[in-house]
């Protein structure tokens, strides 16, 4: 029930448009009732050969209701679909806004395919919440009131009989369909999400699947899930067909029952003979209002299952919270950490423990260490993707927890080992750092990142599409785009996280020359397990298992012949 109320709250901003759509739906069905009943009266009356003057009102009524039904149907579809599309748009924006603060900490346990399924398929399912769950019952209630008023003008027995069959079609039949298809909507949502997640994961990992010969296994798994989905869709189709058949049966039983009960009333003169067909066709036309009700509970169950999947994400609390009284952006950009300790899981060992770091404004500090030493964790804490449990981080003398996370990240540019490039043009990927950048600014950063010769050789220049993840580019080209993006952002703090990892020696030197340009005048923190070029750093910190093992300049650390010296010796042997 709580999920239902939360859904109602989400759609409540459009209640006025919804009421208009319901009213137009009522007028549409009402016009259909008016058309058939007036036509029946006109034909019955004309059979008695009255003067044309006596038929004029009925003739005008038929024309009016015929035109009105088409107009109201168009307006009803317009308003109902307008509010549905507005609702879907709002739901997607709402879900994205709720999901964004959870990245990356809270979303790491989620499959990318499952998240895509939630924001696309599950939100799409919720269109039925208004179209097939909320609106049809309201229209049916209004039509019921109209028809009870109509039949009460002729005989109370007709009113009770009509009410009985209307309740059977509008309430008892949907409850029966719900019992017959209990759990079907929930299973549909779950299996559809499983299918989407499997397909996305398979497409993203297609290279590895083919390389390791797992095509057949993946195909069998997808086929198995597809079989479940097809089976559920088949059951839903059978349920829909059964519901439509029973609804049609109920409608015709009501028609014949009203007709049979009305004939004696006509015979005794309680009802005029010209109204016999009117009473019968009134039933036939009014049952349009209950045509969509048998599957109401099925769509409700499906909507609640989809909503539950969305709410499970939106109800998650971010790991990082905004300060109650945020301070202004500092004037200086020196970085200091004092006793910094952090664990991803409070019950496990520390990823960083008692780290003390000092980088003056404009200074260059390298953090080195073997894989798993805690280098990337330090970046995550500086960017406030996670919040540390002990110690503190100061920027310009201010604790970063006192700054708005978005304002803090505006001060930091990151060149990571795996820079994500979007499936669009080089220009659009660069503009991610500064959407308002001019052509001159773009040309400048392209030149400083040593990209101009490469871009000039492309057929469409910087308007060339680079593919998903930039797969059309080499590793060095992707890194230079990342450097150009950092240059365009022009942030006072620069973090280089394994920026040259995976590059060959020649490409690494080219990228490092661009990085040298990037580091000028910025507070720089370089995290790497490669020890090339660290002579230019002001200070080097050596991490080992989350702890600060050594600290000093390149020369000082070599003279101590500790962990740094062993890493340096090993790297020289590998290069040779």
């Amino acid at each position: 029930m709580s999920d239902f109320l939360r859904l109602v709250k989400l759609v409540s901003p459009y209640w006025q448009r919804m009421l208009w759509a319901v009213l137009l739906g009522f007028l549409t069905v009402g016009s259909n009732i008016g058309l058939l009943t007036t036509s029946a009266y006109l034909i019955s009356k004309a059979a008695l050969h009255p003067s044309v003057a006596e038929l004029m009102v009925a003739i005008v009524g038929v024309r009016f209701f015929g035109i009105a039904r088409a107009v109201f149907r168009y307006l009803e579809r317009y308003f109902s679909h307008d509010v549905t599309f507005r609702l879907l748009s709002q739901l997607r924006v709402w879900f994205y806004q709720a999901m964004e603060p959870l990245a990356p900490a809270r979303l790491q346990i989620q499959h990318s395919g499952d998240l895509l399924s939630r924001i696309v398929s599950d939100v799409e399912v919720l269109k039925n919440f208004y179209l097939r769950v909320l609106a049809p019952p309201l229209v049916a209630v209004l039509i019921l009131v109209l028809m009870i008023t109509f039949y009460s003008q002729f005989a109370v027995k007709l009113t009770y009989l009509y009410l009985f069959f209307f309740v059977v079609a509008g309430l008892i039949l949907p409850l029966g369909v719900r019992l017959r298809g209990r759990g079907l909507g929930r299973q549909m949502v779950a299996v559809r999400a499983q299918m989407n997640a499997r397909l996305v994961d398979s497409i993203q990992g297609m290279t590895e699947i083919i390389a390791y010969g797992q095509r057949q296994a993946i195909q069998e798994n997808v086929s198995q899930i597809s079989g479940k989905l097809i089976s559920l869709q088949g059951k839903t189709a059978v349920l829909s067909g059964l519901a439509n058949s029973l609804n049609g049966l109920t409608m015709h039983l009501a028609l014949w029952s009203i007709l049979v009960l009305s004939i004696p009333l006509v015979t005794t003169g309680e009802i005029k003979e010209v109204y016999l067909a009117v009473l019968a066709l009134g039933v036939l036309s009014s049952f349009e209002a209950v045509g969509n009700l048998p599957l109401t509970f099925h769509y409700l169950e499906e909507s609640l299952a989809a909503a539950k999947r969305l709410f499970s994400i939106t109800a998650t609390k971010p790991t990082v919270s905004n300060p109650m009284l945020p301070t202004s952006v500092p004037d200086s950009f020196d970085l200091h950490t004092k006793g910094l300790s952090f664990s991803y899981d409070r019950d496990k060992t520390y990823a960083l423990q008692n780290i003390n770091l000092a980088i003056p404004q404009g200074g260059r500090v390298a953090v080195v260490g073997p894989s798993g030493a805690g280098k990337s964790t330090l970046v995550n804490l500086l960017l406030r993707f996670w919040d540390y449990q002990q110690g503190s981080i100061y920027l310009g003398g201010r604790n970063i927890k006192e700054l708005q996370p978005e304002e803090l990240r505006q001060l930091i540019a990151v060149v990571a080992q795996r820079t994500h490039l979007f499936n669009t043009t080089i220009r659009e990927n660069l503009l991610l750092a500064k959407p308002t950048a001019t052509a001159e600014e773009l040309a400048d950063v392209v030149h400083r990142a040593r990209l101009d010769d490469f871009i000039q050789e492309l057929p469409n220049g910087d308007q060339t599409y680079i593919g998903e993840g930039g797969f059309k580019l080499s590793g060095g080209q992707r890194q230079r785009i990342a450097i150009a993006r950092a240059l365009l952002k022009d942030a006072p703090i620069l973090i280089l996280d394994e920026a040259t990892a995976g590059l060959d020696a020649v490409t690494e030197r080219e990228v490092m020359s661009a990085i040298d340009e990037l580091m000028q005048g910025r507070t720089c923190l370089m995290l790497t397990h490669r020890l090339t070029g660290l002579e230019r750093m002001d200070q080097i910190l050596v991490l080992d298992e989350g702890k600060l093992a050594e600290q000093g300049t390149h020369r000082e650390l070599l003279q101590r012949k500790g962990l740094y010296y062993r890493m340096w010796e090993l790297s020289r042997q590998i290069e040779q």
Side-chain angles (χ1 to χ4, degrees):
M1 188 65 180
S2 60
D3 290 340
F4 177 83
L5 294 177
R6 291 179 70 180
L7 275 179
V8 171
K9 185 178 180 180
L10 284 174
V11 305
S12 60
Y14 301 105
W15 67 270
Q16 291 179 321
R17 291 177 178 272
M18 290 180 182
L19 286 182
W20 272 109
V22 169
L23 177 61
L24 289 167
F26 165 70
L27 293 175
T28 300
V29 179
S31 297
N32 188 45
I33 296 171
L35 177 62
L36 287 184
T37 54
T38 306
S39 299
Y41 175 81
L42 177 60
I43 294 172
S44 300
K45 188 70 173 179
L48 301 177
H49 304 288
S51 65
V52 176
E54 294 182 46
L55 301 176
M56 286 303 298
V57 175
I59 293 172
V60 173
V62 169
R63 291 178 178 176
F64 170 77
F65 286 121
I67 297 172
R69 184 178 184 276
V71 172
F72 287 139
R73 173 63 73 191
Y74 173 82
L75 293 175
E76 182 267 333
R77 290 296 172 88
Y78 176 84
F79 271 86
S80 62
H81 283 76
D82 176 73
V83 72
T84 298
F85 292 139
R86 289 176 184 271
L87 178 60
L88 290 179
S89 175
Q90 176 192 323
L91 287 174
R92 288 195 177 97
V93 172
W94 159 78
F95 184 70
Y96 182 82
Q97 288 176 337
M99 183 177 66
E100 190 178 40
L102 303 179
R106 296 298 190 188
L107 299 183
Q108 285 190 333
I109 60 173
Q110 302 290 338
H111 284 88
S112 58
D114 184 59
L115 287 174
L116 179 65
S117 177
R118 291 176 197 243
I119 202 169
V120 177
S121 299
D122 291 345
V123 172
E124 188 72 18
V125 166
L126 293 182
K127 70 181 181 182
N128 293 323
F129 183 69
Y130 167 71
L131 283 177
R132 302 182 184 275
V133 176
L134 294 182
L138 294 176
V139 174
V141 169
L142 293 176
I143 292 299
L144 178 60
V145 173
L146 173 67
M147 295 308 293
I148 287 177
T149 304
F150 174 72
Y151 281 110
S152 64
Q153 303 300 314
F154 296 93
V156 176
K157 292 186 289 184
L158 296 179
T159 303
Y160 290 141
L161 186 62
Y162 177 83
L163 178 62
F164 169 75
F165 282 106
F166 199 90
V167 170
V168 168
L171 183 60
I172 297 177
L173 182 56
L175 288 174
V177 170
R178 181 196 179 193
L179 293 175
R180 178 68 178 81
R182 182 184 293 273
L184 194 58
R186 185 169 57 253
Q187 294 176 48
M188 281 278 289
V189 171
V191 175
R192 189 185 297 115
Q194 186 181 5
M195 170 64 81
N196 291 337
R198 172 57 66 185
L199 289 175
V200 171
D201 289 345
S202 299
I203 291 172
Q204 289 179 339
M206 187 66 70
T207 303
E208 287 76 13
I209 290 172
I210 295 174
Y212 287 95
Q214 295 299 310
R215 288 183 299 177
Q216 187 65 31
I218 296 297
Q219 287 175 359
E220 290 176 357
N221 182 252
V222 171
S223 178
Q224 182 182 11
I225 300 174
S226 178
K228 292 181 182 179
L229 185 58
I230 291 173
S231 176
L232 291 172
Q233 289 173 334
K235 291 179 181 179
T236 303
V238 170
L239 194 67
S240 178
L242 178 64
N244 290 333
S245 300
L246 292 176
N247 185 71
L249 176 63
T250 305
M251 179 182 67
H252 286 92
L253 286 175
L255 184 149
W256 284 103
S257 299
I258 290 289
L259 188 62
V260 169
L261 186 61
S262 299
I263 290 175
L265 297 177
V266 172
T267 304
T268 58
E270 294 183 44
I271 298 177
K272 293 183 180 181
E273 63 275 6
V274 293
Y275 293 119
L276 183 61
V278 173
L279 297 173
L281 291 182
V283 176
L284 196 66
S285 56
S286 65
F287 265 64
E288 180 185 357
V290 294
N292 294 324
L293 293 184
L295 291 178
T296 297
F297 288 109
H298 168 77
Y299 288 116
L300 175 61
E301 181 184 52
E302 198 174 44
S303 298
L304 291 178
K308 189 173 183 178
R309 283 169 46 81
L310 296 178
F311 293 148
S312 67
I313 297 292
T314 59
T316 305
K317 293 183 178 180
T319 57
V320 176
S321 57
N322 292 326
M324 296 294 293
L325 297 172
T327 61
S328 59
V329 176
D331 297 325
S332 60
F333 304 106
D334 52 303
L335 274 171
H336 297 271
T337 68
K338 293 183 179 180
L340 182 64
S341 297
F342 171 76
S343 173
Y344 288 101
D345 190 332
R346 294 178 183 271
D347 298 330
K348 295 186 179 180
T349 58
Y350 282 103
L352 287 175
Q353 188 171 5
N354 196 30
I355 302 298
N356 294 299
L357 166 68
I359 310 177
Q361 181 170 335
R364 301 181 179 185
V365 171
V367 179
V368 302
S371 297
K375 300 186 297 296
S376 295
T377 300
L378 183 59
V379 175
N380 290 333
L381 297 181
L382 291 174
L383 291 169
R384 290 204 70 193
F385 290 156
W386 278 266
D387 267 344
Y388 44 88
Q389 289 97 14
Q390 298 176 23
S392 55
I393 301 177
Y394 294 96
L395 174 61
R398 298 178 186 174
N399 194 315
I400 64 171
K401 287 187 177 181
E402 299 175 358
L403 299 172
Q404 290 284 6
E406 288 302 319
E407 291 183 351
L408 172 66
R409 292 164 194 155
Q410 288 296 320
L411 302 175
I412 302 174
V414 180
V415 179
Q417 176 182 357
R418 296 181 179 178
T419 300
H420 183 81
L421 299 178
F422 292 89
N423 187 14
T424 182
T425 65
I426 295 176
R427 180 186 180 86
E428 290 293 330
N429 273 284
L430 293 176
L431 288 175
L432 183 67
K434 185 180 180 181
T436 59
T438 63
E440 290 75 15
E441 289 176 310
L442 288 174
D444 178 59
V445 297
V446 164
H447 175 71
R448 292 164 63 189
R450 316 293 195 272
L451 272 171
D452 40 4
D453 291 339
F454 161 68
I455 290 178
Q456 288 173 7
E457 294 174 358
L458 296 174
N460 297 316
D462 63 1
Q463 297 293 340
T464 301
Y465 280 79
I466 59 177
E468 184 68 29
F471 80 94
K472 294 182 179 180
L473 307 177
S474 67
Q477 290 163 351
R478 286 195 292 269
Q479 288 303 90
R480 281 196 285 269
I481 288 179
I483 292 170
R485 200 151 62 183
L487 285 168
L488 188 61
K489 186 176 183 179
D490 196 23
I493 301 171
L494 173 65
I495 296 177
L496 302 169
D497 186 8
E498 304 284 8
T500 61
L503 303 180
D504 60 81
V506 175
T507 304
E508 182 180 12
R509 284 194 295 270
E510 294 175 353
V511 171
M512 281 304 301
S513 64
I515 288 177
D516 286 337
E517 169 75 20
L518 179 59
M519 289 194 296
Q520 296 298 322
R522 292 180 172 84
T523 303
C524 300
L525 180 65
M526 175 185 287
L527 297 93
T528 180
H529 67 276
R530 297 170 66 93
L531 308 184
T532 305
L534 296 189
E535 302 86 355
R536 71 194 80 182
M537 307 305 292
D538 300 332
Q539 194 177 48
I540 300 172
L541 278 66
V542 184
L543 294 182
D544 186 27
E545 296 183 351
K547 298 179 181 178
L548 185 59
E550 294 179 301
Q551 184 174 354
T553 64
H554 174 72
R555 178 176 295 182
E556 291 171 348
L557 292 175
L558 288 180
Q559 291 174 350
R560 293 175 190 173
K561 294 190 176 182
L563 176 59
Y564 182 82
Y565 176 80
R566 294 194 298 272
M567 292 173 60
W568 185 71
E569 283 289 328
L570 181 60
S571 66
R572 288 181 61 191
Q573 292 174 14
I574 293 174
E575 290 175 0
Q576 293 174 359

